[in-house]
Amino acid sequence: MPSDVLLSVRELRIAFDGVEVVRGLSFDVRPREALAIVGESGAGKSLTARALLGMLPRGATRSGTIEPDLAAHRGRRISLVPQDALSALSPVHPVGDQLAAAVRSVARVSRKEARARAVAALDRVGIPDAARKARAYPHEYSGGMRQRAVIAMATINEPDIVVADEPTTALDEERRDQVLRVLAEQREAVGAALLLVTHDMDVVRDHADRVLVMYAGRLTELGRAGEVLDRPRAPYTAGLLASLPQHAPPGRRLPALRGTPPAPAALPPGCAFTPRCPLAADPCHTAEPEPQEVAGRLVACHRWPELPYPATELFQEEERQPV
């Protein structure tokens, strides 16, 4: 594995009852970078993240390689910031005790030392009066404070990689920005890379170095975040971006990807995006495209050379007619 790669995933496949939901996914995570994984619900984003943590649901089977296997060091070399901070914390133990337990799970330190590290971690994420709040229970924290406490727990053992699975879902814009700022500060403090699962393209633009776009369990596009968002090379990426309000010209309806992603057990032949793609042609119906290098990124699409610029125009509707 190259020295500039922290984690290497090759041909990752995840299946339930023989039906693959992640299909031959390959990517690298680099030291200290923020890699975002985006795509519609059901694309396989969260399952991919949880495979790295060794936290796949019961009944899932996994193949392919993940090097090194950090799941054996969960809590120390790799950690999780879950979507729901309240359910991630035990309601019957003080928050400080839970952070101290996380320390003692990976390090032989005294209870006093673990407690001191817990208070320091809460203080570092901006919990006021951390020593007192360490003795409080999760229900005594506000929602924003619980999210900060979970970030403190994920970074308290200075992991190599922090996995954040939709950490800003259902948060308003102000709280979303606060959580992401704290997460960025903690990553910088401990020198960790970030794997960020999100639906929010604004979060990707502001907080990610690279972005991996997934569709139907496969890689669609992978490259530097600014380049992918400013000039997508895959029609699916363009469709996701076209549905953002800022891409709707005045007098036109907000574009939307027609149809829905296919069920994993009923994938169409060829490219899974073909039934929804405005550029689909004969090759798309017969052969699934393999990722190829295009302008410094990976793109899995037969028709990428025909994609116009700006590509979001493919998905824009005609101007509204006067009533």
Side-chain angles (χ1 to χ4, degrees):
M1 189 168 64
S3 60
D4 63 343
V5 173
L6 180 62
L7 182 73
S8 179
V9 177
R10 291 293 178 270
E11 285 296 313
L12 176 65
R13 296 179 182 274
I14 301 171
F16 292 88
D17 296 327
V19 177
E20 288 191 339
V21 291
V22 174
R23 305 180 297 126
L25 184 66
S26 298
F27 64 94
D28 295 327
V29 179
R30 300 167 183 167
R32 304 179 75 96
E33 80 162 343
L35 173 65
I37 303 181
V38 303
E40 292 169 284
S41 296
K45 308 183 301 297
S46 291
L47 284 173
T48 297
R50 290 180 176 272
L52 306 185
L53 290 152
M55 295 174 62
L56 287 173
R58 183 175 299 176
T61 59
R62 194 203 88 186
S63 63
T65 60
I66 300 175
E67 296 183 348
D69 182 6
L70 299 183
H73 306 281
R74 189 169 66 238
R76 182 168 65 87
R77 295 194 62 193
I78 188 169
S79 62
L80 173 67
V81 177
Q83 181 179 136
D84 185 355
L86 181 59
S87 65
L89 295 168
S90 167
V92 298
H93 296 96
V95 172
D97 288 359
Q98 297 182 57
L99 267 69
V103 172
R104 286 171 60 85
S105 71
V106 302
R108 292 183 177 180
V109 299
S110 67
R111 293 181 184 275
K112 182 178 180 180
E113 172 63 18
R115 177 78 177 186
R117 292 189 190 182
V119 172
L122 291 174
D123 181 67
R124 196 170 60 230
V125 297
I127 300 293
D129 196 1
R132 181 178 63 85
K133 293 299 289 186
R135 297 191 295 270
Y137 291 82
H139 72 271
E140 298 177 275
Y141 279 45
S142 67
M145 288 174 63
R146 283 195 295 266
Q147 195 73 36
R148 288 170 182 256
V150 167
I151 293 172
M153 184 177 291
T155 57
I156 195 169
N157 291 316
E158 301 186 357
D160 296 326
I161 300 177
V162 175
V163 177
D165 188 1
E166 298 281 5
T168 60
T169 295
L171 299 182
D172 59 39
E173 185 174 354
E174 181 179 1
R175 184 174 292 176
R176 179 200 71 180
D177 290 343
Q178 289 175 350
V179 167
L180 290 168
R181 184 169 60 252
V182 170
L183 186 55
E185 290 169 353
Q186 296 311 296
R187 283 182 49 234
E188 183 65 25
V190 303
L194 173 67
L195 187 75
L196 175 63
V197 176
T198 183
H199 286 89
D200 193 329
M201 289 298 195
D202 288 332
V203 167
V204 174
R205 183 178 294 279
D206 294 339
H207 296 277
D209 300 308
R210 292 190 301 145
V211 57
L212 165 60
V213 184
M214 290 185 68
Y215 185 76
R218 283 177 61 88
L219 179 152
T220 293
E221 191 161 1
L222 171 62
R224 294 187 62 82
E227 295 173 359
V228 171
L229 299 185
D230 289 339
R231 186 157 189 171
R233 298 287 183 171
Y236 177 61
T237 309
L240 288 178
L241 293 171
S243 64
L244 300 178
Q246 58 264 40
H247 290 294
R252 296 189 181 184
R253 298 180 184 275
L254 181 65
L257 281 167
R258 63 179 182 178
T260 58
L267 295 176
C271 175
F273 188 56
T274 296
R276 308 172 71 190
C277 182
L279 285 182
D282 288 346
C284 309
H285 294 278
T286 57
E288 192 158 45
E290 293 297 325
Q292 58 182 303
E293 187 166 343
V294 176
R297 73 185 79 167
L298 291 177
V299 180
C301 177
H302 295 299
R303 300 278 288 162
W304 71 264
E306 282 70 49
L307 201 64
Y309 181 77
T312 51
E313 290 184 352
L314 279 174
F315 298 89
Q316 290 171 357
E317 298 183 5
E318 295 299 322
E319 293 186 9
R320 299 179 185 175
Q321 298 300 318
V323 178

